Amino acid sequence: EVQLVESGGGLVQPGGSLRLSCAASGFTFSSYWMSWVRQAPGKGLEWVANIKQDGSEKYYVDSVKGRFTISRDNAKNSLYLQMNSLRAEDTAVYYCARFIREAFDIWGQGTMVTVSS
Amino acid sequence: QSALTQPASVSGSPGQSITISCTGTSSDVGSYNLVSWYQQHPGKAPKLMIYEVSKRPSGVSNRFSGSKSGNTASLTISGLQAEDEADYYCCSYAGSRVFGGGTKLTVL
């Protein structure tokens, strides 16, 4: 079964850091672009970042550039999102998604990140 | 990059057809055949329903179809069923990736 499972969410103070992980199974992880997409409470979806199969290309939404870093470990079938200098507006459910043909075709169940003092 | 524009809500009765619009600009929807649509039930992860404007992933009902004209993409659901009640989001390539604000579909 193709599956993505996120972890690492939680409550963090403004200015703090958090690292999200996404474990992939059921497909050849190293063959796909991967993404992070977030959804603030009661709001719509927002693309956050993409990473190429070998990690050589990374793209970010403007609002997280310089603060978030997407990375992957193909040997561990894992995707990561390092989030620094967190702000209240980063509060959201963060989804890991497989990215193919400019679409997010497989999604994890999401992990909640709350930035609050 | 501004979000794509979707109606906040649409509704229809079982068996009817509805269409959800997704309006962008000549820099996103109008320039690329790279529009996708997602269905999201409350508390659940989104599900891909349409990609590249009109293509359906394996396993998605053929009651769902997509199209595009100019800067506006559309998702049509025919033969509405109660299980179709959900939020729907469009997404387009625009140099970056931009989503619509979402449309709540109510099946009356």
Side-chain angles (χ1 to χ4, degrees):
Chain A
E1 179 191 5
V2 175
Q3 195 172 13
L4 296 170
V5 179
E6 302 94 335
S7 60
L11 174 64
V12 61
Q13 292 189 338
S17 298
L18 211 55
R19 188 196 196 205
L20 306 183
S21 299
C22 171
S25 59
F27 66 98
T28 305
F29 179 73
S30 59
S31 296
Y32 293 89
W33 282 78
M34 296 295 296
S35 304
W36 288 99
V37 177
R38 67 184 179 182
Q39 185 170 34
K43 302 297 184 181
L45 300 170
E46 180 183 38
W47 168 75
V48 175
N50 276 6
I51 185 168
K52 194 176 179 179
Q53 290 91 331
D54 61 359
S56 62
E57 295 181 34
K58 304 175 183 181
Y59 301 95
Y60 301 91
V61 67
D62 285 348
S63 59
V64 309
K65 284 179 182 175
R67 300 188 300 122
F68 290 11
T69 301
I70 188 171
S71 63
R72 63 192 296 161
D73 185 336
N74 288 340
K76 295 183 177 180
N77 291 335
S78 293
L79 177 72
Y80 306 101
L81 187 67
Q82 177 67 43
M83 304 185 294
N84 298 330
S85 303
L86 282 160
R87 307 166 180 167
E89 54 264 36
D90 295 318
T91 294
V93 174
Y94 283 74
Y95 294 101
C96 162
R98 193 173 76 174
F99 188 66
I100 185 169
R101 303 179 77 165
E102 278 299 325
F104 308 97
D105 71 331
I106 304 295
W107 297 66
Q109 85 289 349
T111 187
M112 183 71 205
V113 173
T114 303
V115 184
S116 175
S117 55
Chain B
Q1 191 69 45
S2 299
L4 306 176
T5 300
Q6 298 181 233
S9 63
V10 298
S11 62
S13 299
Q16 288 186 331
S17 294
I18 64 95
T19 296
I20 299 172
S21 62
C22 170
T23 301
T25 69
S26 58
S27 297
D28 40 59
V29 175
S31 287
Y32 308 98
N33 289 325
L34 295 172
V35 176
S36 52
W37 289 90
Y38 303 86
Q39 176 192 65
Q40 186 179 35
H41 288 107
K44 300 295 187 181
K47 176 186 176 182
L48 177 65
M49 306 302 286
I50 295 288
Y51 67 99
E52 292 181 348
V53 175
S54 60
K55 298 177 181 178
R56 267 189 319 273
S58 174
V60 172
S61 171
N62 59 10
R63 297 186 299 105
F64 291 83
S65 62
S67 62
K68 190 186 86 167
S69 177
N71 297 336
T72 298
S74 299
L75 174 71
T76 297
I77 309 174
S78 59
L80 266 182
Q81 299 179 1
E83 68 214 46
D84 299 331
E85 185 163 294
D87 294 327
Y88 291 84
Y89 295 91
C90 61
C91 182
S92 176
Y93 176 74
S96 166
R97 281 92 195 162
V98 60
F99 281 93
T103 298
K104 181 176 181 58
L105 169 61
T106 300
V107 180
L108 303 171

